[in-house]
Each structure stands twice: as C-alpha cells, then as structure tokens.
Amino acid sequence: MAASAPAMPLTMRHVRAAQEVLRDIVPESRLKESASLSKSAGGRVLFKLECEGPTGSFKVRGAYHAIHARQKQSGGKLPGVVTSSTGNHGVATAYSASLQRLPARIYLPENPNPAKRARIAEFPAEIVEVGKFLEETRKHAARFAQESGWYDIVDGVDPEMLPGTATIACEILDKLDSVDVIFVPVGDSTLIRGVAFAAKQLRPEVKIVGVQADRAPAYALSFAKGHAISTDASDTIADGLAVRDATEENVRQMAGLVDEFVLVTEDEMLGAMRHLLAEEQAVAEPAGAATTAAFLKSAAAYAKKTVVLLVTGANVGEEIRLRALQTR
C-alpha cells in the first residue's frame, strides 16, 4: 500500500474549480465496460476513454487549465505560449492556446510522431523540431521563453496542470459507486499524480497502478528506489511514455499516492492496441493501450474487483497501427 500522502501543490477545491473551467472545453469522457475483459477476469473492467477527447488525448485537461490560470494571473496580458513535447502535449497546447486566442510555439524532438505533428499543424502554432530526446528539446523551449517572455508550460513540472488531470479521477469516482483499482500510464507523471491525488482524497482505499514501457522505465525505477533516477535512453514505440529523467519532487509525491508500477513490453502494447480495436472498437496509440497491456498480464489477480483502465490517447501513426493489427 502507498504511504501517507505528502503535501501536494493542489487541493480538492482546486480540482473541483478545474472541473468548472473545463466543463465546456473537455466533454466528460466515456466510461465503457469491457464485456471481454470482465468475463475473462471474473470481475468488472471499464475503460475511461480519454482517447475520444477533443485532441485525441487527455492532455488538453492539463494544458488548457494551466494556460487559463496563467492568463488570469497576468490580467489577460499573456504574450504567448511555448512548450516542448513528444506530441500529445504539444497538440493540447496548440489547441488550448488557439481557444484562448494566444500565439503558440511547439518544440518537438527530431523525427516526431507524424500523426501528432499533423494534429499540431491543424492549429495556428509554429512548430520547431530540434533535439534527439525530449530533455534536449525542452532546453530550446526554455531558452525561447526566457528571450520572448512567453509562458513555457512544462509538462511534468507546471503545478497548474495537476488540477486538470485530477478531474479524470473525479469523473470516475463521481459516477461509479465501487472502484478497486485504477491503472494509469506514466510518462512525465502529471497524469498519475493528478489522478492519484484526487482518487485518494475521495476514496483512500482505491489502488493506483502506474504503467510504463520497459524501454522507458525512469519513474518505475525511481518509485522502487525512492529517489529520482535517469535512464540512458527511452527507445519505445510509446512516445507518450518516452521520458528518460524522473524529477525528484514528482517521485516524492508519487510515493504517497501510487501503490505499484507495472512495466509492459513493445509487443504487449501492440497486442493491447489490437485488442482494443477488435474487441472494444477503440483506437489507441501505444501509450494509450499501455494500461490494457498491463491488465492483461495479470487479469486473474483482479477477480471480483472493479478495475478502471485509462485509455489516454488515439494519435497513432499508420506504421504502428499496421504493426498492431499484425500482432498475434
């Protein structure tokens, strides 16, 4: 079980206020029960389909809330928004900035996910591709922000993103009378820290399971060791989980909120993508399918339990989609 929760840079008052801010921006995502997984596991398994959101991922919740909060703090004088991203956060930032009529610049690592780059290009945001890994790309965005005075919304760091992601837990627990476990994919950790905080506040008995790619395990390793750990690479098809450097403060927060981590392989994520499409008619990218992959590894352990799997993104390129369909 998780230890006593540490102090967090948010309260449930902030989370409920975020729900009001997002009410007309992000429609409440569907909770869909899985007949196939519920039957095979002998329990109740539901998908929280964040992949059906306005930008094809959950990221708009945190990005819109953060920009809205900073714009309010500036008295409506925010000059622009800049960020660095492997894709979905960049899409969400471009979308959120356009809704708030702000210019945006999105920094992406070289050779980004083509589907996600195309989604960013749908909005009036400048795209800059630089750096082999996100950590390098992030430095370029920070430099531009310092020179321009634009707001650098740093995924995994900006505290104003947490209330937005925490609203997902509220939607789950406000609707379901009984929830035993919530599986959450972990990239930069903003999602799991927000979801876990609200879930533990509302129902402390709910178990939170973090899921990472075994080729990008920085936060899983850090959680196990109790301090931030970096990895040499994050070579995974799940670009949404491709983080090399854990942050000490984020690890500290997770220690009191997250109960365990599960690592999944590339083939397991591809297989989960295929399952979601074939059995649930849900399109998911590798990171979005990671929770399904993790559950399938140990479904028998959740007999007679109510389990919620977050399906967090649907922005998948054609090559990966074809690989998933060919997986057996």
Side-chain angles (χ1 to χ4, degrees), residues 288-311:
T291 55
T292 302
F295 178 80
L296 288 169
K297 287 166 72 85
S298 57
Y302 299 99
K304 299 182 180 179
K305 302 287 186 181
T306 298
V307 178
V308 177
L309 309 177
L310 300 194
V311 183

Side-chain angles (χ1 to χ4, degrees), residues 71-302:
Q71 180 77 308
K72 187 175 181 180
Q73 292 165 10
S74 72
K77 297 180 179 179
L78 202 63
V81 178
V82 59
T83 199
S84 50
S85 170
T86 57
N88 280 336
H89 173 64
V91 179
T93 298
Y95 172 77
S96 300
S98 69
L99 289 182
Q100 299 181 61
R101 300 186 178 183
L102 291 168
R105 178 182 282 198
I106 312 299
Y107 284 82
L108 301 173
E110 298 164 2
N111 303 310
N113 178 310
K116 295 176 182 180
R117 191 192 190 286
R119 290 298 301 270
I120 296 171
E122 294 175 6
F123 307 104
E126 181 182 358
I127 299 173
V128 180
E129 295 180 29
V130 60
K132 184 176 181 181
F133 295 109
L134 178 61
E135 290 76 14
E136 181 183 348
T137 305
R138 184 168 284 180
K139 293 177 182 177
H140 289 272
R143 187 177 304 117
F144 174 79
Q146 187 174 27
E147 293 170 353
S148 65
W150 286 21
Y151 169 36
D152 186 7
I153 175 171
V154 184
D155 204 1
V157 175
D158 196 314
E160 291 294 352
M161 298 187 70
L162 286 171
T165 61
T167 61
I168 296 172
C170 294
E171 290 180 8
I172 294 169
L173 298 178
D174 288 349
K175 184 157 289 186
L176 297 177
D177 293 332
S178 174
V179 177
D180 296 296
V181 188
I182 302 175
F183 281 74
V184 186
V186 180
D188 55 59
S189 84
T190 296
L191 176 62
I192 195 166
R193 287 181 292 121
V195 168
F197 171 80
K200 296 293 188 180
Q201 289 289 309
L202 295 172
R203 294 188 207 168
E205 72 279 7
V206 173
K207 182 178 180 180
I208 303 295
V209 179
V211 182
Q212 283 206 297
D214 67 354
R215 292 188 178 184
Y219 273 106
L221 294 174
S222 300
F223 180 79
K225 294 293 186 180
H227 61 84
I229 290 175
S230 296
T231 58
D232 293 333
S234 52
D235 182 21
T236 173
I237 57 172
D239 52 87
L241 307 182
V243 173
R244 294 192 303 158
D245 298 332
T247 301
E248 198 68 51
E249 174 62 15
N250 295 352
V251 174
R252 186 188 72 82
Q253 291 174 9
M254 285 194 301
L257 298 170
V258 178
D259 294 278
E260 68 175 273
F261 266 80
V262 176
L263 295 178
V264 293
T265 67
E266 308 291 280
D267 284 346
E268 286 168 344
M269 287 186 282
L270 290 169
M273 288 173 64
R274 185 176 184 278
H275 178 93
L276 284 164
L277 189 59
E279 301 294 335
E280 311 297 340
Q281 294 74 54
V283 176
E285 61 191 79
T291 55
T292 302
F295 178 80
L296 288 169
K297 287 166 72 85
S298 57
Y302 299 99

